[in-house]
Amino acid sequence: MDPRSLIACENCASICRQPDLEPGETAACARCGTTLWRYSGLTLSNWLALTLAALIVFVLANAYPVASLEVQGMVQRASLLDAIRVTWQQQHWVVAIMTGLAGFGMPLIQLMVLLWVLGPLAAGRLPLGFRGAMRFLGLLRPWSMVQVFLLGVVVSVVKLAGMAAVKPAIGLAGFAALTVLLTILGRLSPHVLWRYAERASLVDVHVPHPGAGMVLTGCHVCGQVQALPARQDEEALHHCRRCAAQLHLRKPDHLARTWALLLAAVVFYIPANILPVMSVSSVVGDSAHTILGGVVELWEMGSWDIALIVFVASIMVPLTKLLALSLLALMLQRGSTANLRQRTRLYQMVEFIGQWSMLDVFVVIVLAALANFQGLMEISAGSGAASFGMVVILTMLAAMSFDPRRSWDLESVCAPQVRDAPQAHSSAHGAAASDQPST
C-alpha cells in the first residue's frame, strides 16, 4: 500500500486511495461526493511564479486609487488603504479593523507565507518552520476577502453614479487581476503543499497500521492519515506524527460551540438590520441608510441587477447561513441520517458563501473615502455596520465549528479499510474514489 495515495474526506471521514488523474479530471468521494483531489499540471516553480505575480499586483492595486469622485470641481480619489484610514479617523475602529484585515492584512500575509514555503520547495529544500507556516496558512485562507472588496467597489461606483461624476480607476483593474490570481492560488491548501513536499521526499510519510480498537483519520493540517483509538479519553491528547498538530478523531464539543456562535450571530443580526449601516451628511441635510434601504435605493435608481446582488449578499446570505446551520445541527441532534449527501452539499454551500456577506461593510468604507468632502458631503459608517461585520465573523466561525462527519458516523459502523479508487472521470462528472468510513 502506498501511503502517499491515502486521502481522508473532511466531510464524511472516508479514507480513499488517490487515483492517477489525467488533465481536467477530479477525484470525488464515492460516499458523500466531496471533491478530494484535482489534477494540476503546475509545478512548484509555476506556483512560485504565480505567487510573485500576485504579490506584485497586490502592491500595485493598493498603491493606486480604485475610483474617483468629482463634485463641483473637487475631485476625491480613494484606494483601499484610504478607505480604511478614513473609517478609522471617523472613529469606527471595529469596522476599520475588520475591513483592514480582510481586504489587506490577511491577503498580504497569505501571499508572504506562500512565498516563504514555495521558494525553498521549488529549490528542493524544506522551508524553515514549514509545520507552523502550514498551520498558519490554514487559519488565514477563509478570511482573505479581496474578491468581496472588488464587488464592493463596483457597487459603490453604481451608487454614486446618480449623485456625481464617478469613475473607476487603475486600482480597480489591479484588484480584478488580483482576484483572479488569488482564486488560482486558493487551490494551494496546506494539504496540497504537504503532498508536494511528500513527492519531493522532503517530509516523512507515516504508514498507518490500525489494530483492534483503532480507526483511521486524517490530520486537519497536513492530511496525513493515521490511526487513533476509536474511543478517546477526553483528557488524552493526541498529536499528528508528522506535523505535531493536536489531533482529534472528531471536533470536540462541536454542537455546543456551533449553537453558541449561532445564537451570538442572531443577537448581532437584529441591530445589523435595524440600525443604519451608513450615515450621509450634506448641505441639504442628514440621512441614515439601513441595508434594506440601500437595496431599495439601488432599485429605484434603475440598477436592479446591483440591487439584487446586494440583497442576496447582505440579506439572503446571512439569513441562509443561520437557517442552514441551525437545520444541520438540529438534524444531527435528532440522530437523523436522511439525505446525508444533500446535507453535505448544504454545509459546503454555507462554507462557500460565508465571506460574501461582508459586501455591505466594504461598500460603506469605499463610499466614506470617496464622498469625503468636508462641509459639502460626508459619508460614514453607521452603528449597524460593526454589528453586520460581527454577524459575518460569527457565522463563519459557526460553520468552521460544525463537524459534518458526525452525521455520517450515525450511518455506518464499518471497519476501517482502504480500497483502490476506480477509473477517474472528467471533471464534469468527477472521479469516484472508493469510500471507507473511519468509524
Side-chain angles (χ1 to χ4, degrees), residues 14 205 218 234 248 388 395 399 419:
S14 296
V205 181
E234 293 184 0
H248 297 284
F388 194 79
T395 51
R419 301 168 183 162

Side-chain angles (χ1 to χ4, degrees), residues 303-316:
S303 302
W304 60 267
D305 48 350
I306 300 297
L308 183 61
I309 292 174
V310 176
F311 177 77
V312 171
S314 299
I315 296 178
M316 292 302 298

